[in-house]
């Protein structure tokens, strides 16, 4: 399930330190189960219909456009994204336009489409990791407070080439 042997050692170290580890999972049935189990217990995803949402998660696992926070064998956070263009991302933010993925070679932006963690420090580590894995791309965020009575929060950040060491593989 883990991307490489380094991460297996990292997960072991995380268990000892008590600090969750941020990693990329292989697009396997086991990885899908771990991620989907976590998200199915996390608002607002508890209210999502399985069909379309499961295909989004499968695609993110398949393309490697995701990170998972693991505390031992338990997922405690997830971020997934699609690659897109600035034009599509701006339209998505400004007018609730359709967010469509584009081929990696044509992408100048990434849009975080699934972001979840109950722990703010883990959430920030996941977002930082996603930004690190998308150097030079504009990264779009859109936070909807489903059922919380707050308005949608939208933002984007021009993403400089961040140091790879910011993505934790330990």
């Amino acid at each position: 399930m883990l991307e490489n042997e380094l991460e297996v050692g990292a997960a072991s170290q995380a268990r000892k330190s008590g600090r969750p580890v941020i990693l990329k999972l292989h697009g396997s049935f086991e990885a899908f189960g771990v991620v989907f189990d976590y998200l199915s217990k996390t608002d607002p995803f508890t209210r999502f219909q399985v069909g379309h949402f499961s295909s989004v998660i499968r695609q993110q696992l398949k393309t490697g456009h995701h990170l998972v926070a693991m505390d031992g064998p338990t997922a405690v956070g997830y971020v997934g994204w699609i690659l897109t263009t600035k034009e599509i991302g701006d339209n998505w933010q400004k007018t609730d336009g359709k967010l469509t993925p584009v081929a990696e070679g044509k992408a100048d932006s990434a849009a975080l489409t699934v972001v979840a963690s109950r722990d703010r420090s883990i959430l920030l580590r996941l977002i930082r990791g996603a930004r690190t894995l998308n150097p030079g791309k504009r990264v779009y965020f859109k936070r909807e407070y489903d059922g919380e009575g707050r308005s949608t929060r939208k933002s984007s950040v021009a993403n400089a080439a961040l140091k790879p060491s910011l993505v934790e593989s330990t």
Side-chain angles (χ1 to χ4, degrees):
M1 176 172 81
L2 300 177
E3 187 72 18
N4 60 43
E5 290 180 20
L6 174 62
E7 291 170 346
V8 173
S12 176
Q13 280 183 327
R15 270 187 235 112
K16 292 176 187 173
S17 72
R19 184 174 182 204
V21 64
I22 308 295
L23 24 98
K24 215 184 260 197
L25 303 177
H26 285 294
S28 66
F29 290 121
E30 183 181 12
F32 179 77
V34 167
V35 170
F36 215 75
D37 181 61
Y38 171 72
L39 293 173
S40 73
K41 299 173 188 170
T42 306
D43 282 332
F45 307 107
T46 57
R47 295 182 291 279
F48 283 25
Q49 290 194 11
V50 173
H52 176 69
F53 188 56
S54 65
S55 68
V56 167
I57 301 303
R58 275 195 313 275
Q59 187 63 25
Q60 290 173 345
L61 290 169
K62 179 181 172 186
T63 59
H65 298 159
H66 72 281
L67 290 170
V68 181
M70 298 292 294
D71 189 2
T74 306
V76 292
Y78 179 83
V79 62
W81 60 90
I82 67 163
L83 297 179
T84 192
T85 65
K86 184 177 180 313
E87 180 183 353
I88 293 169
D90 285 345
N91 189 44
W92 177 60
Q93 272 198 327
K94 292 175 185 165
T95 66
D96 291 327
K98 185 173 181 176
L99 184 60
T100 25
V102 299
E104 189 144 352
K106 296 180 180 182
D108 60 5
S109 300
L112 305 186
T113 58
V114 182
V115 182
S117 181
R118 292 181 182 100
D119 182 317
R120 181 168 164 69
S121 67
I122 292 172
L123 189 65
L124 293 174
R125 288 170 60 204
L126 287 165
I127 292 170
R128 190 177 309 120
R131 290 184 60 206
T132 301
L133 292 173
N134 289 286
K137 290 181 173 61
R138 176 164 290 280
V139 177
Y140 290 88
F141 308 83
K142 189 177 194 180
R143 166 72 185 187
E144 296 181 34
Y145 299 93
D146 192 31
E148 295 181 30
R150 296 193 280 179
S151 61
T152 299
R153 183 173 157 241
K154 304 172 184 180
S155 64
S156 70
V157 60
N159 203 20
L162 300 172
K163 295 178 183 176
S165 62
L166 290 177
V167 173
E168 297 182 32
S169 61
T170 60

